[in-house]
Amino acid sequence: MNKNSENLYRFLVGLADDSVVLSHRLSEWCSNGPYLEEDIALSNIALDYIGRARMFYQYAVEIEGKGRTEDDIAYHRNEREFTNTLIHELPINDFAFTMVRQYFVDVFYCEYLQQLTQSSDSQVAAIAAKALKESRYHLKRSEPWIKQLSEGTEESKHRVQLALDELENFVGEMFLMEDWEKELVEQGIAVDREALQADWDKQVQEFLAESEMKFPDSQLQIRGGRNGIHTEHLGHMLSEMQYLQRVHPGLKW
Amino acid sequence: MQTVDDAAAQIEFDRRIADEQKIEPTDWMPDAYRKNLIRQMSQHAHSEVIGMQPEGNWITRAPSLRRKAVLLSKVQDEAGHGLYLYSATESLGITRSELIEALQTGVAKYASIFNYPTLTWADVGAIGWLVDGAAIVNQISLQRTSYGPYSRAMIRICKEESFHQRQGYEIMYELAHGSPEQKAMAQDAMNRNWWPALMMFGPHDSDSAHSGKSMQWKIKRQSNDYLRQKFIDQTVPQIEVLGLEMPDPEIKWNEELGQYDSGEINWEEFYQVINGSGPCNYQRLKHHKKAHQDGEWVREAVRAYSEKQQAKKEQKSA
Ligand SMILES: [Fe+2]
Ligand SMILES: [Fe+2]
Ligand SMILES: [Fe+2]
């Protein structure tokens, strides 16, 4: 691969890793939700993210040109090789945590993907267009959940606040730019994440203020995911997710 | 006490059953018919929901992204089936929370098959193929059930079931044509799931406690043994295509009857598992109760929020 393809490959795998890891977390709710309706809804979102991951991986291996498959990438890399941003990998914790995380990424993706639909790479733009529709729909669900939980009972409010406090630390990383990503921005392929941060802060703060919830800002940054520095949670997720492929390598399923 | 009005209503009810007309929620129906339906429909709904657990056990370990997506959407469908069936049951004048309470206190049952563990990935294949396969045979028959909402729920559900069976068979096919370990995995899962799948059709007609009345009311349309034989006859050729050994050495084509002979089910095991001693009975209910309890604060918050909104509205209009 030349430098440009290498950058593009990295970019695609990063986006795919974000999606695959979050879809895994969301799928953990299946049969564990507070309502049967919510099992269905969270599974639906998980399915959208699996779909997204597959599209990005498939395009990545096409760019790589070594004849590898989406599953080679998803199931045969270790913790240090996964490049998702950390917010996507955090355990589901309770329903409040899951919904606050979802709300945060939904707000992010609605803006980010909107801009990515303008990518000069037509395949990237097409994936973004499909994913954007999904994220808009996800946000229509996560917003009312945050509202209901924030204005519900003392307990639900408290749980939302705990989730906000913890997740706050992982928001900033979504807006970090690596050098290779900046090069892709210059080529019109990628989106400048940094430029999205102020609007994100404003939108989230205003929305939470309606429910009298506090969210200082997204400046505190735990970072490292794009360089393979993760929370300890990712390794456990991968051991579970990759189990069959690792025990029986090279087989078809 | 039966009044004169009831007697007239009963005659009308019997006539409609005889004429193959559907009974609708607002129609008069005998109490015993209503009770029988609530028992059967809620058991069906609970089976859909509890059935999410054994398959859900493999969602996070599915061996490829495609398999994971297919399995997740399959299990999601089952949750949807649970929902239609709960709301169809609610049309008989009982609430979903009462139904869930009955499940959690062991008053209501669910399909015993889900009290067996999914030990390997091949179990996911075997369940889709055999368990959904058996469910389809049963549910196709129930499309003609006499209670309108149940019949319509079955028609809707059956449309999705063929995808469930196909994805299961596809998993089995891939394994049966894979490495020796994969093939062994497929054989083992089929052997373990075969008998419980046959048990899904219930006791022999001669021993079936609820069958007589259910058939008379046309809630049930075909007998346990008839449906079980139908399932065996359609499944044996599929085992041959897979190239696996028969799970029952007594399976043999009977030229005279035009159907397969097969061995006797271990009925002692059947009753044991129904009565709570299957490998996973305890685990399944515990899981269900825990998810329910963990979600209690969410449901409370939703109630509190909607009360607050209601109060705000009233204040405005006052
Ligand atoms: Fe179902
Ligand atoms: Fe079913
Ligand atoms: Fe099914």
Side-chain angles (χ1 to χ4, degrees), chain B residues 7-280:
Chain B
Q10 176 80 54
I11 289 169
E12 171 63 8
F13 174 85
D14 291 341
R15 185 192 65 77
R16 295 185 59 177
I17 296 283
D19 282 0
E20 295 288 324
Q21 288 181 34
K22 298 287 180 230
I23 306 300
E24 294 300 333
T26 50
D27 294 339
W28 183 91
M29 63 187 85
D31 267 351
Y33 176 82
R34 185 184 300 273
K35 276 196 193 123
N36 191 310
L37 270 174
I38 290 176
R39 183 189 56 78
Q40 179 169 338
M41 290 170 69
S42 68
Q43 175 169 336
H44 196 160
H46 298 324
S47 302
E48 303 283 356
V49 172
I50 296 294
M52 294 167 69
Q53 290 181 37
E55 288 179 290
N57 183 36
W58 280 92
I59 289 172
T60 54
R61 290 180 293 167
S64 72
L65 293 176
R66 189 174 82 87
R67 290 282 177 224
K68 186 168 170 169
V70 169
L71 178 59
L72 183 55
S73 58
K74 194 262 185 195
V75 177
Q76 184 195 31
D77 280 353
E78 304 300 5
H81 297 173
L83 272 188
Y84 312 151
L85 283 163
Y86 280 132
S87 45
T89 313
E90 283 182 310
S91 71
L92 292 159
I94 188 160
T95 65
R96 190 157 130 197
S97 55
E98 288 172 303
L99 295 170
I100 288 174
E101 164 95 20
L103 169 68
Q104 294 190 342
T105 52
V107 173
K109 298 266 183 263
Y110 56 86
S112 247
I113 184 95
F114 300 124
N115 290 318
Y116 292 87
T118 49
L119 297 176
T120 69
W121 170 248
D123 285 280
V124 173
I127 287 189
W129 170 41
L130 298 174
V131 177
D132 288 70
I136 293 171
V137 169
N138 203 14
Q139 288 172 173
I140 286 178
S141 175
L142 283 170
Q143 290 180 346
R144 289 168 50 235
T145 193
S146 57
Y147 187 54
Y150 194 23
S151 160
R152 289 189 289 274
M154 286 301 105
I155 291 168
R156 206 169 154 187
I157 285 173
C158 278
K159 283 190 188 138
E160 292 174 349
E161 291 292 354
S162 58
F163 148 65
H164 296 177
Q165 197 198 14
R166 220 172 29 245
Q167 64 89 34
Y169 192 70
E170 212 185 81
I171 291 171
M172 292 302 275
Y173 191 90
E174 196 74 61
L175 294 173
H177 293 83
S179 74
E181 291 140 299
Q182 284 176 313
K183 192 167 178 179
M185 205 187 267
Q187 181 74 52
D188 172 56
M190 181 184 68
N191 292 351
R192 281 184 288 108
N193 285 283
W194 173 256
W195 296 105
L198 296 187
M199 292 176 196
M200 283 172 69
F201 295 95
H204 281 313
D205 298 344
S206 48
D207 307 320
S208 178
H210 302 286
S211 276
K213 267 291 179 196
S214 291
M215 294 284 274
Q216 196 186 319
W217 281 323
K218 297 185 181 172
I219 292 175
K220 231 168 120 160
R221 301 309 306 253
Q222 284 154 322
S223 79
N224 294 353
D225 287 328
Y226 172 85
L227 293 169
R228 182 163 27 235
Q229 186 64 47
K230 198 171 161 200
F231 171 73
I232 293 171
D233 290 342
Q234 78 179 32
T235 308
V236 169
Q238 295 169 356
I239 301 174
E240 284 166 354
V241 174
L242 290 177
L244 295 177
E245 274 167 43
M246 290 297 155
D248 166 7
E250 291 180 50
I251 289 177
K252 216 178 85 215
W253 179 249
N254 182 324
E255 196 62 61
E256 205 175 308
L257 295 175
Q259 64 184 37
Y260 286 95
D261 291 336
S262 57
E264 188 56 47
I265 289 170
N266 178 350
W267 293 107
E268 200 181 304
E269 177 183 324
F270 173 80
Y271 287 108
Q272 242 176 33
V273 177
I274 281 193
N275 293 323
S277 316
C280 302

Side-chain angles (χ1 to χ4, degrees), chain A residues 42-79:
Chain A
L42 291 169
S43 298
N44 240 333
I45 303 175
L47 282 166
D48 286 343
Y49 277 97
I50 296 179
R52 232 177 254 195
R54 295 184 66 191
M55 289 186 288
F56 283 127
Y57 282 137
Q58 283 166 11
Y59 188 26
V61 294
E62 189 187 318
I63 294 294
E64 187 191 41
K66 288 189 193 159
R68 293 205 291 172
T69 67
E70 56 181 22
D71 292 328
D72 291 333
I73 311 290
Y75 290 87
H76 292 280
R77 283 176 309 144
N78 62 31
E79 299 83 325

Side-chain angles (χ1 to χ4, degrees), chain A residues 155-166:
Chain A
E155 181 179 4
S156 66
K157 186 185 168 85
H158 177 65
R159 285 175 185 260
V160 171
Q161 191 60 57
L162 286 179
L164 289 170
D165 293 348
E166 183 174 347

Side-chain angles (χ1 to χ4, degrees), chain A residues 193-216:
Chain A
R193 294 167 172 266
E194 265 166 34
L196 304 175
Q197 189 163 11
D199 280 347
W200 188 96
D201 278 356
K202 185 161 177 282
Q203 185 180 337
V204 170
Q205 279 168 357
E206 281 175 8
F207 176 72
L208 291 173
E210 286 172 24
S211 307
E212 290 167 31
M213 300 300 286
K214 288 184 295 289
F215 182 73

